[in-house]
PDB file of all heavy atoms in Angstrom:
ATOM      1  N   GLY A 164      14.818  33.104   3.671  1.00  0.00           N
ATOM      2  CA  GLY A 164      13.528  32.886   4.307  1.00  0.00           C
ATOM      3  C   GLY A 164      13.600  32.590   5.788  1.00  0.00           C
ATOM      4  O   GLY A 164      12.562  32.435   6.447  1.00  0.00           O
ATOM      5  N   GLN A 165      14.809  32.497   6.328  1.00  0.00           N
ATOM      6  CA  GLN A 165      14.969  32.172   7.751  1.00  0.00           C
ATOM      7  C   GLN A 165      14.996  33.462   8.569  1.00  0.00           C
ATOM      8  O   GLN A 165      15.998  34.161   8.637  1.00  0.00           O
ATOM      9  CB  GLN A 165      16.259  31.374   7.964  1.00  0.00           C
ATOM     10  CG  GLN A 165      16.470  30.909   9.398  1.00  0.00           C
ATOM     11  CD  GLN A 165      17.753  30.113   9.561  1.00  0.00           C
ATOM     12  OE1 GLN A 165      18.478  29.884   8.591  1.00  0.00           O
ATOM     13  NE2 GLN A 165      18.046  29.695  10.784  1.00  0.00           N
ATOM     14  N   ASP A 166      13.868  33.781   9.193  1.00  0.00           N
ATOM     15  CA  ASP A 166      13.760  34.994   9.982  1.00  0.00           C
ATOM     16  C   ASP A 166      14.499  34.862  11.308  1.00  0.00           C
ATOM     17  O   ASP A 166      14.842  33.757  11.750  1.00  0.00           O
ATOM     18  CB  ASP A 166      12.290  35.329  10.245  1.00  0.00           C
ATOM     19  CG  ASP A 166      11.519  35.604   8.963  1.00  0.00           C
ATOM     20  OD1 ASP A 166      12.147  36.098   7.997  1.00  0.00           O
ATOM     21  OD2 ASP A 166      10.310  35.306   8.924  1.00  0.00           O
ATOM     22  N   ALA A 167      14.699  35.996  11.942  1.00  0.00           N
ATOM     23  CA  ALA A 167      15.349  36.003  13.250  1.00  0.00           C
ATOM     24  C   ALA A 167      14.532  35.166  14.235  1.00  0.00           C
ATOM     25  O   ALA A 167      13.307  35.241  14.266  1.00  0.00           O
ATOM     26  CB  ALA A 167      15.484  37.438  13.760  1.00  0.00           C
ATOM     27  N   GLY A 168      15.221  34.369  15.025  1.00  0.00           N
ATOM     28  CA  GLY A 168      14.542  33.536  16.007  1.00  0.00           C
ATOM     29  C   GLY A 168      14.096  32.192  15.483  1.00  0.00           C
ATOM     30  O   GLY A 168      13.594  31.351  16.238  1.00  0.00           O
ATOM     31  N   VAL A 169      14.247  31.950  14.164  1.00  0.00           N
ATOM     32  CA  VAL A 169      13.878  30.667  13.554  1.00  0.00           C
ATOM     33  C   VAL A 169      15.140  29.827  13.392  1.00  0.00           C
ATOM     34  O   VAL A 169      16.117  30.270  12.797  1.00  0.00           O
ATOM     35  CB  VAL A 169      13.204  30.874  12.188  1.00  0.00           C
ATOM     36  CG1 VAL A 169      12.904  29.530  11.532  1.00  0.00           C
ATOM     37  CG2 VAL A 169      11.937  31.696  12.342  1.00  0.00           C
ATOM     38  N   SER A 170      15.135  28.632  13.934  1.00  0.00           N
ATOM     39  CA  SER A 170      16.312  27.777  13.869  1.00  0.00           C
ATOM     40  C   SER A 170      16.479  27.182  12.475  1.00  0.00           C
ATOM     41  O   SER A 170      15.533  27.156  11.673  1.00  0.00           O
ATOM     42  CB  SER A 170      16.212  26.644  14.893  1.00  0.00           C
ATOM     43  OG  SER A 170      15.186  25.725  14.527  1.00  0.00           O
ATOM     44  N   MET A 171      17.684  26.685  12.208  1.00  0.00           N
ATOM     45  CA  MET A 171      17.943  26.048  10.925  1.00  0.00           C
ATOM     46  C   MET A 171      17.052  24.821  10.752  1.00  0.00           C
ATOM     47  O   MET A 171      16.514  24.574   9.663  1.00  0.00           O
ATOM     48  CB  MET A 171      19.415  25.640  10.823  1.00  0.00           C
ATOM     49  CG  MET A 171      19.796  25.028   9.486  1.00  0.00           C
ATOM     50  SD  MET A 171      19.619  26.184   8.100  1.00  0.00           S
ATOM     51  CE  MET A 171      21.028  27.274   8.412  1.00  0.00           C
ATOM     52  N   ARG A 172      16.853  24.065  11.807  1.00  0.00           N
ATOM     53  CA  ARG A 172      16.004  22.876  11.738  1.00  0.00           C
ATOM     54  C   ARG A 172      14.569  23.263  11.386  1.00  0.00           C
ATOM     55  O   ARG A 172      13.905  22.586  10.585  1.00  0.00           O
ATOM     56  CB  ARG A 172      16.042  22.120  13.065  1.00  0.00           C
ATOM     57  CG  ARG A 172      15.281  20.794  13.049  1.00  0.00           C
ATOM     58  CD  ARG A 172      15.416  20.099  14.405  1.00  0.00           C
ATOM     59  NE  ARG A 172      16.801  19.858  14.719  1.00  0.00           N
ATOM     60  CZ  ARG A 172      17.494  18.810  14.299  1.00  0.00           C
ATOM     61  NH1 ARG A 172      16.897  17.909  13.520  1.00  0.00           N
ATOM     62  NH2 ARG A 172      18.760  18.650  14.624  1.00  0.00           N
ATOM     63  N   GLU A 173      14.083  24.347  11.955  1.00  0.00           N
ATOM     64  CA  GLU A 173      12.706  24.789  11.702  1.00  0.00           C
ATOM     65  C   GLU A 173      12.510  25.241  10.259  1.00  0.00           C
ATOM     66  O   GLU A 173      11.487  24.915   9.631  1.00  0.00           O
ATOM     67  CB  GLU A 173      12.332  25.910  12.666  1.00  0.00           C
ATOM     68  CG  GLU A 173      12.156  25.445  14.107  1.00  0.00           C
ATOM     69  CD  GLU A 173      11.997  26.601  15.080  1.00  0.00           C
ATOM     70  OE1 GLU A 173      12.552  27.700  14.793  1.00  0.00           O
ATOM     71  OE2 GLU A 173      11.329  26.420  16.123  1.00  0.00           O
ATOM     72  N   ILE A 174      13.462  25.979   9.698  1.00  0.00           N
ATOM     73  CA  ILE A 174      13.300  26.461   8.331  1.00  0.00           C
ATOM     74  C   ILE A 174      13.424  25.307   7.336  1.00  0.00           C
ATOM     75  O   ILE A 174      12.719  25.250   6.321  1.00  0.00           O
ATOM     76  CB  ILE A 174      14.323  27.584   7.993  1.00  0.00           C
ATOM     77  CG1 ILE A 174      14.006  28.197   6.624  1.00  0.00           C
ATOM     78  CG2 ILE A 174      15.745  27.074   8.033  1.00  0.00           C
ATOM     79  CD1 ILE A 174      12.671  28.876   6.533  1.00  0.00           C
ATOM     80  N   LEU A 175      14.282  24.323   7.651  1.00  0.00           N
ATOM     81  CA  LEU A 175      14.397  23.155   6.783  1.00  0.00           C
ATOM     82  C   LEU A 175      13.105  22.338   6.804  1.00  0.00           C
ATOM     83  O   LEU A 175      12.658  21.844   5.765  1.00  0.00           O
ATOM     84  CB  LEU A 175      15.584  22.290   7.211  1.00  0.00           C
ATOM     85  CG  LEU A 175      16.978  22.893   6.970  1.00  0.00           C
ATOM     86  CD1 LEU A 175      18.056  22.002   7.585  1.00  0.00           C
ATOM     87  CD2 LEU A 175      17.252  23.096   5.482  1.00  0.00           C
ATOM     88  N   GLN A 176      12.511  22.226   7.979  1.00  0.00           N
ATOM     89  CA  GLN A 176      11.245  21.508   8.084  1.00  0.00           C
ATOM     90  C   GLN A 176      10.143  22.240   7.326  1.00  0.00           C
ATOM     91  O   GLN A 176       9.314  21.618   6.653  1.00  0.00           O
ATOM     92  CB  GLN A 176      10.857  21.349   9.561  1.00  0.00           C
ATOM     93  CG  GLN A 176       9.566  20.585   9.803  1.00  0.00           C
ATOM     94  CD  GLN A 176       9.636  19.149   9.304  1.00  0.00           C
ATOM     95  OE1 GLN A 176      10.667  18.505   9.417  1.00  0.00           O
ATOM     96  NE2 GLN A 176       8.536  18.654   8.759  1.00  0.00           N
TER      97      GLN A 176
END
Side-chain angles (χ1 to χ4, degrees):
Q165 184 180 359
D166 298 330
V169 177
S170 69
M171 183 64 73
R172 185 178 301 276
E173 289 171 331
I174 188 63
L175 291 173
Q176 181 62 38

